[in-house]
Amino acid sequence: MFPDSINEGMQVKNRISKIKNIIEGKLKRYYGRSFENASSEEMFQAVAMSIRDIILERGVKANETLEKKGMKKLCYLSAEFLMGRALVNNMINLGLLREYRAVMTEIGYPFEKLEEQENEAALGNGGLGRLAACFLDSLSTLNLPVTGYGIRYEYGMFCQRIIEGQQTEVPDDWTAQGDIWEIERRAEQLEVHFDGMVEEVWTDNGLTVVHKNYQTVMAVPYDMPVIGYDSHVPATLRLWRAECPAVFDLHSFNKGDFVCMLQQKELAESISKVLYPKDDHINGRMLRLRQYYFLASATMQCLVREHKKMYGDVRSLPEKVVIQINDIHPALAIPDLMRILIDAEGLGWDEAYDIVSRMFNYTNHTVMQEALAAWPEQLFKTMLPRVYAIVSEIDERFRQRLCKSYPDDRDKTARMSIIAYDEVRTANLCVAVCNRVNGVSQLHGRILKSRTFRDFYVMFPGKFTAITNGITQRRWLAAANPALCELIYDHIGDQFIRDCRELERLKPYVDDRRFLDDFAHVKQQNKKRLSEYMQKRQGIALDPGSVFDVQAKRLHEYKRQLLKVLHILHLYRRFTENDHFTLPRPVTFLFAAKASPAYWRAKSIIHLISVVSALVDSHPRTRENIRVVFLENYNVTLAEHLIPAADISEQISTAGCEASGTGNMKFMLNGAVTLGTMDGANVEIFERVGKENIFIFGADAQEIDRIGAENSYHPKDYFDHDEHIREALSCLVDGTLPGVGKDQFQDLYRSLLYGDYDRADKYYLLYDFDAYRTAFEKIMGAYNDTPSWTRKAAVNTASAGYFSVDRTIEDYNRMIWGLDSI
Ligand code: 26Y
């Protein structure tokens, strides 16, 4: 049986019966079951296996071609891959969704039950991890050869439960049922070495360095094939799992020190135990550094081994492999490749450095200072003595260059150096060594040059570029929004799934009454679908007749969920004070956000949202007009239901803070209208849809920069002079809020007016409040004019083509990677 022949020259009817036979066979042979008595788990596994077979077979062929032609490959290194569920996405990309649906109908098994059986692979926090997943989809779709390298966290992103209004974290045991998509490749395991010491020894080859008394951790690879749309080149996602060596610490073993032995085992395995939802304390940081080195070293060793097997000589590495590092987490791959080339391959420093600097490229994803991680030097040196020595040497040589260029500017040298003030700054390491450094939107790219890495930009102007992020329309339109997809298909065919710019061809229809009615109808259907889903998922009833105003993203002060809450409090005040105040339409304010478990202010904002929700519900006239709903456990699957149902997309970060945003693109693609600031990729959305079809408010990045530099912002003045602000903000502390003491939100209140250890209102909520309030009034007015609103929504969908990840990947490939498609 040749599964890939399912597609070849066969009638739909034949394909259906063939798929049915394959699934039946899997059930029989793997589980000893039939359609009649298979459990839902077994059914899912059997269906998934039938899909996996097709993908794996294509992989074998693609690899043969790749090897035969000696083609260049991309190595995409990322500590996070937020993949989401794979089953339906794979069916779509293989062009077999219709057939699988038909099979399930034939055997009387609900298709949704299959979908729901799958745990999502949530190996990421948010934007950066989801971007990595979209990249793999696109690289495969464009038939470009890539392996993504990451960590096989045993526990991915925590599950969020809201208990008495507060976030509680529950472990995400995603592999409990065994992951059907992954293949363990134990034979390819590698050793990663920690701790110990380095010694210089003279050998026949001169002075060499040996790393002694180290602790060994095994890195076992698990490969997950990722298939793009109509692709014959699946991407591979290789995830490393940490294990204790089979015979570990013979010494304690011989002594019979069973407990010590098991402790070591636990220590080794803790490395891939859990995805960090953010770093805070030193213990956490230590393990985080171990994780990052583990990923970096396993990957670099694997790369060199494979390259030597195929080409024999490491000197040709830069012609055959290009490496992209997804932010600084995998930065230690740079010194580790140096280490391998020098210690194991016997290259000299200059030759090794030349190879490494031609291979590596770095994408920055954030300008927030706290994310530009710097490691305590002593910790680094103890844990990674050999890598430390190499980083020191890179630093030393880089400083010499700096001294030559700027003999009189010691401040600058200190700012730019890699090791300084007892810290190892991986961001500087990346910028100093990498061939290309890029930001993720045009604005962000400019900020990197003018602020974050200004000194480096002066020294290496040619290194810096900006490549605007993108999203895959396969998952975020075809899979998430079948109803809209069908409507689009009826008007312009299905080419947009491969080439998103095709969506432009919808533009003539945005003035077509029938099209607009259908478009509005689709939105309505999606709102109903979300309501049903939320009823099942969380037991809450939404009103699909109301406007769905959505802010869904990680909880962070700079993203300003609190601004939206203050605005809701403002509306509450208006309703309670004025019997005639009303909104043109009832609005449901939907929030979805996870807070880092140790980020107590973010958690406090989640709590506040629940309390404000109760407050709004407690007042009959307010309740008739607005509702506030917090959707628990925001993840890829929830996003797939939520985004197609949104009318308004809230993208209200402080200008200059959000590197790009990708949620903004997903909402736009699904026909939501943005209410946002001129930040990140919102700027480019604005440029594409035009000012009629987006609601922009507030200070732009320049203005924020200016008032920041002038130190001229005093939030208390805004509080004193704007009664709306005063009334809304006072709710936090004057006993208005039900079920909590007056002290509960003192911190939030004070942070805006006085600032404790930080500047007051660091993210300019009060500064932008009035503009936000006005913009909301405008957008509500616009919504009320239904035909013109639907036109705006449709223009958003029709203009979203630019934000396809395929365009992003083409940009990377043209500017950085130089890969040929297979
Ligand atoms: C080192 C540690 C503290 C750290 C952990 C996670 C540092 C950064 C991150 C994650 C950053 C991130 O997700 N950034 C987001 O990347 C998206 C994709 O480029 C952007 O769209 C989004 O604006 C940005 O916040």
Side-chain angles (χ1 to χ4, degrees), residues 80 125-129 131 276 278-279 288 292 326-329 363-366 370-373 375 440 469 558-559 657-665:
E80 303 188 4
N125 271 284
L128 164 149
L131 186 77
Y276 272 96
K278 198 190 170 139
D279 68 338
R288 208 187 250 266
Y292 294 164
N326 200 22
D327 218 296
I328 54 181
H329 317 74
T363 306
N364 173 285
H365 292 270
T366 173
E370 62 264 32
L372 293 175
W375 303 106
V440 289
N469 281 166
Y558 83 79
K559 295 180 189 280
C657 289
E658 189 70 270
S660 160
T662 45
N664 47 4
M665 303 169 186

Side-chain angles (χ1 to χ4, degrees), residues 495-767:
Q495 266 305 302
F496 67 93
I497 298 181
R498 170 167 285 292
D499 178 2
C500 208
R501 274 161 289 209
E502 284 278 309
L503 288 176
E504 287 284 326
R505 292 179 44 215
L506 287 176
K507 291 239 163 110
Y509 296 102
V510 303
D511 293 307
D512 175 334
R513 230 2 235 279
R514 276 235 343 248
F515 176 76
L516 290 183
D517 286 348
D518 290 346
F519 197 94
H521 180 70
V522 164
K523 182 61 80 182
Q524 203 49 38
Q525 258 178 282
N526 287 330
K527 289 165 79 168
K528 286 201 190 113
R529 182 178 73 140
L530 175 68
S531 307
E532 282 156 21
Y533 181 68
M534 288 319 300
Q535 186 62 255
K536 253 196 354 215
R537 186 175 158 122
Q538 208 178 320
I540 51 176
L542 300 175
D543 170 15
S546 63
V547 181
F548 283 6
D549 171 321
V550 186
Q551 188 173 21
K553 48 185 78 253
R554 281 303 289 264
L555 213 138
H556 202 293
E557 285 162 274
Y558 83 79
K559 295 180 189 280
R560 300 203 294 194
Q561 280 94 350
L562 185 54
L563 175 58
K564 185 168 162 180
V565 177
L566 287 178
H567 177 248
I568 294 167
L569 286 171
H570 158 73
L571 291 175
Y572 167 79
R573 283 285 196 198
R574 306 279 306 257
F575 281 117
T576 52
E577 278 163 8
N578 176 353
D579 283 346
H580 302 291
F581 180 72
T582 177
L583 291 174
R585 293 289 179 95
V587 182
T588 305
F589 293 104
L590 295 151
F591 289 88
K594 284 179 182 171
S596 166
Y599 188 176
W600 48 270
R601 191 172 277 166
K603 285 182 138 179
S604 173
I605 293 171
I606 290 181
H607 186 197
L608 178 63
I609 294 170
S610 301
V611 173
V612 169
S613 169
L615 174 70
V616 163
D617 277 347
S618 71
H619 184 255
R621 242 177 50 73
T622 313
R623 190 175 54 220
E624 278 166 27
N625 284 276
I626 62 179
R627 280 198 66 206
V628 178
V629 177
F630 191 91
L631 307 180
E632 227 169 48
N633 199 35
Y634 187 48
N635 59 9
V636 174
T637 306
L638 175 55
E640 286 167 2
H641 289 81
L642 175 59
I643 293 172
D647 295 305
I648 298 176
S649 156
E650 299 252 5
Q651 309 297 338
I652 59 178
S653 53
T654 314
C657 289
E658 189 70 270
S660 160
T662 45
N664 47 4
M665 303 169 186
K666 294 163 200 160
F667 281 101
M668 171 197 196
L669 178 64
N670 284 279
V673 177
T674 304
L675 171 56
T677 48
M678 275 299 213
D679 198 16
N682 296 353
V683 177
E684 292 159 69
I685 293 179
F686 169 81
E687 286 163 0
R688 280 178 173 80
V689 298
K691 64 179 189 316
E692 302 301 315
N693 302 301
I694 187 168
F695 292 80
I696 296 287
F697 71 93
D700 64 13
Q702 272 189 346
E703 188 174 343
I704 295 285
D705 261 1
R706 184 175 50 74
I707 50 184
E710 285 170 356
N711 227 338
S712 60
Y713 175 49
H714 304 294
K716 186 70 168 47
D717 295 347
Y718 287 74
F719 180 85
D720 291 337
H721 296 126
D722 183 331
E723 62 169 326
H724 296 316
I725 292 181
R726 203 163 53 246
E727 284 178 4
L729 198 50
S730 301
C731 289
L732 298 187
V733 292
D734 66 4
T736 304
L737 298 175
V740 292
K742 284 186 183 177
D743 289 346
Q744 188 67 52
F745 299 110
Q746 269 286 341
D747 166 73
L748 293 179
Y749 179 81
R750 293 191 54 85
S751 76
L752 293 177
L753 289 183
Y754 310 106
D756 289 329
Y757 46 86
D758 228 335
R759 269 182 300 131
D761 193 10
K762 200 168 154 195
Y763 296 106
Y764 301 89
L765 278 67
L766 305 193
Y767 190 85

Side-chain angles (χ1 to χ4, degrees), residues 12-162:
V12 176
K13 229 170 117 192
N14 292 343
R15 284 209 293 267
I16 293 172
S17 84
K18 184 149 188 185
I19 291 173
K20 189 172 153 193
N21 286 340
I22 293 173
I23 300 173
E24 199 168 18
K26 298 279 182 205
L27 277 177
K28 242 190 259 166
R29 287 193 296 277
Y30 287 85
Y31 302 104
R33 291 291 164 99
S34 65
F35 284 136
E36 283 67 42
N37 63 2
S39 70
S40 36
E41 167 84 37
E42 288 158 347
M43 190 65 121
F44 167 77
Q45 302 274 340
V47 172
M49 269 190 245
S50 71
I51 292 275
R52 193 183 65 181
D53 284 353
I54 308 175
I55 304 176
L56 289 177
E57 261 187 51
R58 292 189 187 183
V60 172
K61 281 193 204 149
N63 266 334
E64 280 168 11
T65 318
L66 187 82
E67 288 193 17
K68 206 162 67 210
K69 296 194 177 162
M71 294 169 79
K72 188 178 187 182
K73 248 183 103 162
L74 169 65
C75 160
Y76 191 80
L77 261 166
S78 177
E80 303 188 4
F81 286 90
L82 190 42
M83 302 300 288
R85 287 178 175 163
L87 186 71
V88 174
N89 199 69
N90 285 342
M91 289 177 182
I92 291 175
N93 281 353
L94 292 173
L96 292 173
L97 179 62
R98 209 170 27 146
E99 286 77 354
Y100 271 89
R101 278 192 183 279
V103 171
M104 290 298 129
T105 312
E106 232 174 70
I107 63 174
Y109 192 90
F111 192 80
E112 295 68 41
K113 212 165 140 191
L114 264 190
E115 284 186 88
E116 285 160 15
Q117 196 59 40
E118 185 172 9
N119 281 334
E120 68 168 84
L123 308 182
N125 271 284
L128 164 149
R130 184 52 230 174
L131 186 77
C134 284
F135 272 27
L136 294 183
D137 174 86
S138 177
L139 281 153
S140 170
T141 300
L142 299 173
N143 294 320
L144 297 171
V146 59
T147 304
Y149 292 90
I151 299 173
R152 186 183 178 278
Y153 302 106
E154 199 176 319
Y155 294 91
M157 189 57 187
F158 65 84
C159 292
Q160 179 194 54
R161 293 280 161 266
I162 302 295

Side-chain angles (χ1 to χ4, degrees), residues 260-311:
C260 174
M261 198 172 79
L262 286 182
Q263 274 172 346
Q264 268 191 44
K265 182 169 155 68
E266 208 171 284
L267 204 73
E269 286 168 5
S270 68
I271 292 178
S272 57
K273 187 64 85 183
V274 58
L275 164 77
Y276 272 96
K278 198 190 170 139
D279 68 338
D280 289 282
H281 60 98
I282 184 77
N283 252 339
R285 286 178 67 97
M286 211 152 120
L287 192 54
R288 208 187 250 266
L289 181 57
R290 273 187 204 275
Q291 286 189 334
Y292 294 164
Y293 180 66
F294 171 75
L295 164 63
S297 184
T299 307
M300 289 305 103
Q301 292 179 60
C302 172
L303 223 75
V304 171
R305 182 175 67 189
E306 280 179 9
H307 182 81
K308 277 173 63 183
K309 204 169 108 198
M310 211 137 94
Y311 303 101

